[in-house]
């Protein structure tokens, strides 16, 4: 391009002072944002608080789960009279009942029947009726 | 002086990509290319504030799309192509510029910028050349800017603009003739 000489090659355009330094640092700040010490401190504090909360929640859930398991009851924990009331209300044969109910419970049921017979023998019928009205669980 | 100042542009860019965009490599890239990108864009857009906006978007795009570079061409051509595309997008969006075959300054906006004295000394020879360039169709202006100011070979200009080398040579020839005529008459 010899015909158009090099004196035109200067840019000639005006540029603000220290523009290129500011451009580089400004872009760097945009792309790599700096955290100040408070952001770092609170960032860490929030992280720690979140971790502690999670640990506490897991502890509470674990404890509640244990409590629930402890409250589960077995057949032998039932009150004998509850079993008596239940079995008298359903249609089930003695053989089936013997298979279903543990031996210990059956023994206690027999004890109750014996007591009932003894009471029936020793106490006049009128008094038994009064007692039955008062304690309807004795109706076996 | 750190080691990264001695490595090639290509190696530097590779380190930047492989380090998952480490800041130290990006700063070095900006140091090497910011002024060249700025002046290429400034000659196209003339106005400093417009140029600043585009240059920032060039480096942000470079940062965002670093992985898309395939290392099969010069990193400088890749960066200049981003700068060229961003400049063209800016002209289309902000200046409602339609195509490279039309004159950039159809409404006289840029000639008024040159005459205002805010962007360039209006009585300087550089302002005279810029005024001559504004009389060209945009395609001719582009190739003249890259050849005359940046001494770029046609092969590189072809990579940047996506125009064939033959078409670029023809455009440059027409541009040079028109500019000589303008400078002789004014």
């Amino acid at each position: 391009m010899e015909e158009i000489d090099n004196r035109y090659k200067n840019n000639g355009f005006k540029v603000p002072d220290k523009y290129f330094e500011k451009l580089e640092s400004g872009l760097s700040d945009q792309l790599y944002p700096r955290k100040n010490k408070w952001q770092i401190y609170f960032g860490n504090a929030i992280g720690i608080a979140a971790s502690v909360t999670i640990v506490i929640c897991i502890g509470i859930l674990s404890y509640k789960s244990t409590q629930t398991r402890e409250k589960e009851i077995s057949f032998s924990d039932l009150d004998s009279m509850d079993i008596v009331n239940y079995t008298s209300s359903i249609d089930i044969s003695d053989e089936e009942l013997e298979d279903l109910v543990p031996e210990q419970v059956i023994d206690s049921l027999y004890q109750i029947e014996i007591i009932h017979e003894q009471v029936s023998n020793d106490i006049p019928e009128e008094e038994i009726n009064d007692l039955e009205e008062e304690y309807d669980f004795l109706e076996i | 002086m750190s080691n990264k100042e001695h490595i090639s542009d290509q190696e530097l860019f590779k380190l930047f990509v492989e380090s998952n965009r480490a800041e130290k490599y990006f700063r070095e890239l900006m140091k090497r290319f910011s002024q060249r990108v700025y002046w290429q864009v400034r000659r196209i857009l003339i106005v400093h504030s417009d140029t600043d906006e585009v240059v920032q978007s060039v480096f942000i795009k470079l940062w965002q799309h670093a992985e898309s570079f395939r290392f099969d061409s010069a990193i400088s051509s890749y960066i200049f192509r981003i700068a060229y595309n961003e400049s063209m997008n800016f002209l289309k969006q902000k200046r409602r510029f339609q195509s490279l075959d039309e004159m950039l300054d159809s409404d006289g906006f840029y000639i008024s910028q040159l005459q205002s004295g805010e962007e360039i000394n209006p009585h300087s020879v550089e302002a005279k050349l810029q005024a001559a360039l504004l009389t060209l169709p945009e395609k001719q202006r582009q190739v003249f800017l890259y050849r005359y100011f940046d001494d770029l070979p046609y092969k590189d200009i072809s990579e940047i603009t996506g125009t064939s080398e033959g078409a670029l040579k023809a455009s440059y020839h027409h541009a040079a003739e028109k500019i000589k005529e303008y400078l002789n008459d004014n």
Side-chain angles (χ1 to χ4, degrees):
Chain A
M1 193 65 209
E2 283 75 29
E3 296 94 335
I4 301 173
D5 65 56
N6 286 339
R7 68 194 162 119
Y8 296 102
K9 275 199 173 184
N10 294 325
N11 284 301
F13 289 111
K14 296 172 184 173
V15 182
D17 284 347
K18 295 184 177 175
Y19 168 71
F20 291 105
E21 293 159 38
K22 288 175 188 168
L23 171 72
E24 287 168 21
S25 62
L27 269 170
S28 199
D29 289 345
Q30 267 189 65
L31 298 170
Y32 303 93
R34 302 283 185 276
K35 286 181 176 176
N36 64 36
K37 63 179 182 181
W38 288 108
Q39 283 176 305
I40 293 166
Y41 173 77
F42 282 114
N44 289 340
I46 288 166
I48 291 165
S51 305
V52 169
T53 307
I54 289 167
V55 168
I56 289 169
C57 286
I58 290 170
I60 290 169
L61 287 173
S62 163
Y63 176 75
K64 285 204 167 190
S65 170
T66 311
Q67 289 291 304
T68 307
R69 274 201 300 276
E70 283 174 359
K71 281 182 182 174
E72 283 175 4
I73 51 173
S74 66
F75 197 85
S76 57
D77 294 329
L78 289 172
D79 185 80
S80 298
M81 292 317 298
D82 289 336
I83 297 168
V84 168
N85 287 335
Y86 176 72
T87 51
S88 62
S89 68
I90 58 168
D91 187 17
I92 188 167
S93 68
D94 291 346
E95 290 78 17
E96 285 172 331
L97 193 61
E98 277 181 11
D99 290 340
L100 186 68
V101 181
E103 201 174 338
Q104 260 185 319
V105 177
I106 291 172
D107 288 345
S108 66
L109 288 175
Y110 280 128
Q111 287 294 323
I112 290 169
E113 199 172 349
I114 290 163
I115 292 166
H116 187 260
E117 278 176 7
Q118 283 175 349
V119 168
S120 301
N121 294 333
D122 297 343
I123 302 172
E125 197 172 342
E126 284 177 6
E127 285 181 37
I128 291 170
N129 288 339
D130 291 342
L131 283 168
E132 279 181 350
E133 281 175 17
E134 195 173 346
Y135 304 101
D136 57 357
F137 64 85
L138 287 171
E139 287 179 4
I140 299 172
Chain B
M1 194 177 278
S2 62
N3 288 335
K4 62 182 180 294
E5 289 172 10
H6 298 292
I7 60 177
S8 69
D9 294 343
Q10 220 70 351
E11 287 170 325
L12 176 65
F13 197 74
K14 200 172 182 183
L15 284 170
F16 169 64
V17 173
E18 288 174 352
S19 64
N20 198 21
R21 300 187 180 92
E23 183 178 1
K24 60 180 177 179
Y25 298 124
F26 195 70
R27 274 187 172 275
E28 181 63 23
L29 279 166
M30 280 199 288
K31 200 172 158 187
R32 290 187 190 189
F33 287 100
S34 62
Q35 295 211 24
R36 287 156 76 187
V37 167
Y38 176 87
W39 287 116
Q40 284 190 5
V41 176
R42 182 74 189 268
R43 287 182 207 115
I44 295 171
L45 300 181
I46 296 172
V47 179
H48 168 75
S49 57
D50 294 348
T51 306
D52 180 45
E53 190 180 324
V54 169
V55 170
Q56 289 195 40
S57 71
V58 169
F59 283 101
I60 289 168
K61 283 244 158 64
L62 180 67
W63 191 88
Q64 288 172 333
H65 304 293
E67 284 83 0
S68 64
F69 181 64
R70 293 176 184 177
F71 294 94
D72 55 359
S73 61
I75 185 64
S76 57
S77 296
Y78 179 68
I79 295 172
F80 296 156
R81 188 162 66 242
I82 297 173
Y84 174 79
N85 290 337
E86 288 298 298
S87 302
M88 292 300 108
N89 288 338
F90 183 89
L91 288 175
K92 283 174 192 165
Q93 287 164 12
K94 298 285 172 71
R95 302 278 172 241
R96 294 177 184 172
F97 177 75
Q98 298 298 319
S99 83
L100 289 172
D101 292 321
E102 70 177 274
M103 234 175 65
L104 173 68
D105 204 27
S106 53
D107 62 356
F109 170 80
Y110 287 106
I111 200 75
S112 69
Q113 291 294 314
L114 292 177
Q115 290 167 349
S116 72
E118 288 179 16
E119 305 295 339
I120 196 168
N121 176 358
H123 307 296
S124 63
V125 289
E126 295 91 351
K128 198 175 171 182
L129 178 61
Q130 289 300 328
L133 284 165
L134 287 174
T135 65
L136 302 176
E138 192 52 24
K139 195 183 287 178
Q140 291 179 18
R141 193 171 80 104
Q142 295 292 339
V143 66
F144 186 87
L145 291 174
Y146 285 123
R147 280 291 288 169
Y148 182 69
F149 286 103
D150 298 306
D151 294 314
L152 290 180
Y154 285 112
K155 184 177 173 292
D156 290 4
I157 303 173
S158 176
E159 278 183 14
I160 295 166
T161 61
T163 309
S164 71
E165 288 186 44
L168 290 171
K169 284 175 185 170
S171 291
Y172 182 76
H173 175 73
H174 289 303
E177 289 301 312
K178 287 178 189 171
I179 289 168
K180 273 189 284 181
E181 195 180 327
Y182 182 95
L183 294 174
N184 287 333
D185 294 347
N186 293 277

